[in-house]
Amino acid sequence: MTRDKILHAARELFEEKGFDATTVRDIANKAEVNVALINYHFGSKELLLTTLIDELSNATHIKLSDINKSTADPVAKLQQAMDIMLDKTFANKKYYQMLHRELSTVQRPQLNEQIAKNLKRNRTELRYLIEEGQRLKVFRDDIDIELTLGTISGLLHQVTNSGLRDAFKDNDNKLKSRIRHHLFDLMLSFLKRK
Amino acid sequence: MTRDKILHAARELFEEKGFDATTVRDIANKAEVNVALINYHFGSKELLLTTLIDELSNATHIKLSDINKSTADPVAKLQQAMDIMLDKTFANKKYYQMLHRELSTVQRPQLNEQIAKNLKRNRTELRYLIEEGQRLKVFRDDIDIELTLGTISGLLHQVTNSGLRDAFKDNDNKLKSRIRHHLFDLMLSFLKRK
DNA sequence: CAAAGTTAAACAAATGTTTAATTTTTAAAC
DNA sequence: GTTTAAAAATTAAACATTTGTTTAACTTTG
């Protein structure tokens, strides 16, 4: 189907080169369809991107709510959550790269809203998980939760955006287990009551 | 001087809207000079950016080498270093935002090299500081240094790129001291030997 | 007067989008 | 099952802007 061919080609190009650097003709060529079909099916290049993100937001969503429902202890829950986040992040590295790249621009403000809302969902669940750990007196309660969440997403951002150039000599699996270990170590030595 | 007027206008526009979204005519208008003068003085729009970053790299460089030379204990040194990094980061927020925005694109690879080299200087000094703390048996030596550095720069990246939207309701000074406190707390509970 | 600096205009290429014509698909009528 | 007409999809071409850059004439400076 034409619509899907366009979406597929657009995803690859937006993820690879970014929205601005990708022309509608690039997309049309890769999808092997006529240029005009992009505007015919999506209205505009920008609406193509919004549609794409909308459709991918569910597929890439990091679902932590199940963990919150379980009765495991806070430490185990946090580890599960971080594992899932790591998996999703690595599985959709290019996609997150694209989101952050687009988020860093100031044009298209409503698209920024869309992306920010998208990324925010994970934070809410993770915050809840930490707060629960605090209520159960397992985690310290004299910490800055917002910045704790920022620490985690900051590190994951480094993963997706190759801020870790040197560490990136490793292959993905090796790197993932390194980050996993570091993140557990870091967060637990910070969060756990002494 | 024309050259400086252009550089000054270019900095403001690149920091605000980004390189691609800024046109040479934007720059010429803001600098109140003729468009052709940009190419006359700098050769091209891209060379204008490289020149700008070159000239700013010294002004914005986070100089940690003095700290490394001192004889203070590792904890104090680390705190000093993080203080300086925080100050520089806040003082040049828009500038770092621009660097990371540009770094996230894949066009202009040699410019990426330039920026990466620029950002890397800080990491080297900080790594040395931590390694020294390890030699003095003050810091743990079973940690992943590369990812520890990534954690710090990841958090600072969140600062410059408003990944901390919610926390950003605070003014800069309030936010800076929050981050300072969090960073000290986080890093010391992670790094210090028990 | 020669070199450097400045100007307005033109240039060439690329961009997202629209148009108008043509083909294909859909679905109802026979 | 075939016909038929409206709707949907596709096409090539054109369109209107915008872009960074160059040119050629000029003014200013040393």
Side-chain angles (χ1 to χ4, degrees):
Chain A
M1 195 181 161
T2 304
R3 211 188 104 99
D4 294 332
K5 284 201 288 182
I6 294 174
L7 279 170
H8 190 259
R11 174 176 188 176
E12 289 193 354
L13 288 166
F14 289 162
E15 288 185 350
E16 176 61 29
K17 318 200 300 169
F19 178 77
D20 287 312
T22 301
T23 73
V24 287
R25 283 168 183 82
D26 286 342
I27 302 171
N29 283 340
K30 176 154 251 172
E32 292 177 308
V33 301
N34 189 283
V35 212
L37 290 179
I38 292 173
N39 290 276
Y40 178 77
H41 282 284
F42 297 95
S44 73
K45 185 191 170 190
E46 188 168 338
L47 281 171
L48 167 58
L49 177 58
T50 4
T51 308
L52 182 67
I53 294 180
D54 262 339
E55 302 214 348
L56 287 177
S57 74
N58 288 324
T60 57
H61 181 220
I62 300 172
K63 199 159 181 300
L64 301 178
S65 42
D66 290 345
I67 298 178
N68 269 329
K69 284 176 201 137
S70 92
T71 55
D73 74 293
V75 171
K77 278 187 174 184
L78 183 64
Q79 286 183 330
Q80 282 175 43
M82 292 196 292
D83 264 336
I84 294 181
M85 289 175 72
L86 267 174
D87 283 342
K88 280 280 182 181
T89 303
F90 271 88
N92 303 289
K93 211 154 71 174
K94 293 260 171 195
Y95 174 70
Y96 286 111
Q97 217 171 319
M98 178 185 77
L99 290 193
H100 285 120
R101 192 193 295 123
E102 184 59 30
L103 202 55
S104 79
T105 71
V106 74
Q107 319 136 55
R108 304 182 280 283
Q110 76 182 40
L111 187 65
N112 286 19
E113 280 306 311
Q114 184 193 9
I115 296 175
K117 211 170 75 186
N118 222 311
L119 294 173
K120 201 173 175 178
R121 295 194 289 180
N122 313 325
R123 280 175 96 102
T124 313
E125 298 278 358
L126 202 54
R127 183 188 298 109
Y128 181 82
L129 208 152
I130 294 177
E131 285 168 347
E132 192 190 43
Q134 290 178 323
R135 281 193 297 273
L136 296 173
K137 307 284 180 198
V138 177
F139 292 155
R140 290 167 55 189
D141 52 9
D142 61 337
I143 59 159
D144 192 318
I145 294 200
E146 219 47 59
L147 294 184
T148 305
L149 297 173
T151 303
I152 297 174
S153 30
L155 184 61
L156 291 182
H157 178 273
Q158 297 264 317
V159 176
T160 57
N161 291 50
S162 10
L164 303 165
R165 293 190 165 225
D166 298 334
F168 260 127
K169 285 167 197 152
D170 289 349
N171 65 36
D172 262 21
N173 279 336
K174 181 89 184 299
L175 183 60
K176 198 202 284 184
S177 79
R178 266 180 70 183
I179 296 177
R180 184 173 181 274
H181 185 268
H182 171 76
L183 208 50
F184 285 10
D185 191 350
L186 177 74
M187 280 302 136
L188 293 184
S189 45
F190 177 58
L191 282 176
K192 270 173 81 175
R193 277 171 176 262
K194 299 293 148 19
Chain B
M1 198 176 156
T2 304
R3 211 188 104 100
D4 294 331
K5 284 201 289 185
I6 294 174
L7 279 170
H8 190 259
R11 176 177 186 173
E12 290 193 354
L13 288 166
F14 289 163
E15 288 184 350
E16 176 61 30
K17 319 201 297 171
F19 179 76
D20 287 313
T22 302
T23 72
V24 288
R25 283 168 183 81
D26 287 341
I27 302 171
N29 284 340
K30 175 154 252 173
E32 295 178 304
V33 302
N34 189 282
V35 211
L37 291 180
I38 292 173
N39 289 276
Y40 177 77
H41 281 286
F42 296 95
S44 73
K45 184 191 171 191
E46 188 167 339
L47 281 171
L48 167 58
L49 176 58
T50 14
T51 308
L52 182 66
I53 294 180
D54 262 339
E55 302 215 349
L56 287 177
S57 74
N58 287 323
T60 58
H61 181 221
I62 300 174
K63 200 159 181 295
L64 301 178
S65 42
D66 289 345
I67 298 178
N68 268 329
K69 284 178 202 137
S70 92
T71 56
D73 73 295
V75 171
K77 277 186 174 184
L78 184 63
Q79 287 181 330
Q80 282 174 44
M82 293 196 291
D83 264 335
I84 294 182
M85 289 176 73
L86 268 173
D87 283 341
K88 280 281 183 182
T89 303
F90 271 88
N92 303 289
K93 210 153 73 176
K94 293 260 170 192
Y95 175 71
Y96 286 111
Q97 217 171 320
M98 176 185 79
L99 289 193
H100 285 118
R101 191 194 295 125
E102 183 60 30
L103 202 56
S104 78
T105 72
V106 74
Q107 318 138 55
R108 303 180 282 282
Q110 75 183 40
L111 188 64
N112 286 19
E113 280 304 312
Q114 185 193 7
I115 296 175
K117 211 170 72 184
N118 222 311
L119 293 172
K120 202 173 174 180
R121 294 194 290 178
N122 313 324
R123 279 176 99 101
T124 314
E125 298 278 357
L126 202 53
R127 182 188 299 108
Y128 181 82
L129 207 150
I130 294 176
E131 284 168 348
E132 192 191 43
Q134 291 178 322
R135 279 194 298 274
L136 294 173
K137 307 284 181 196
V138 177
F139 293 154
R140 290 167 55 190
D141 53 9
D142 60 337
I143 58 159
D144 192 318
I145 294 201
E146 220 46 59
L147 293 184
T148 306
L149 297 174
T151 304
I152 298 174
S153 31
L155 184 61
L156 291 182
H157 178 273
Q158 296 262 322
V159 177
T160 56
N161 291 50
S162 5
L164 304 165
R165 294 193 165 225
D166 298 336
F168 259 127
K169 286 166 197 153
D170 289 350
N171 64 35
D172 262 20
N173 278 335
K174 182 92 184 297
L175 182 61
K176 198 202 282 186
S177 80
R178 267 180 69 182
I179 296 176
R180 184 173 181 271
H181 185 268
H182 170 77
L183 207 51
F184 284 9
D185 191 352
L186 177 75
M187 280 302 136
L188 293 184
S189 47
F190 177 58
L191 282 176
K192 270 173 82 176
R193 277 171 176 261
K194 300 289 147 20

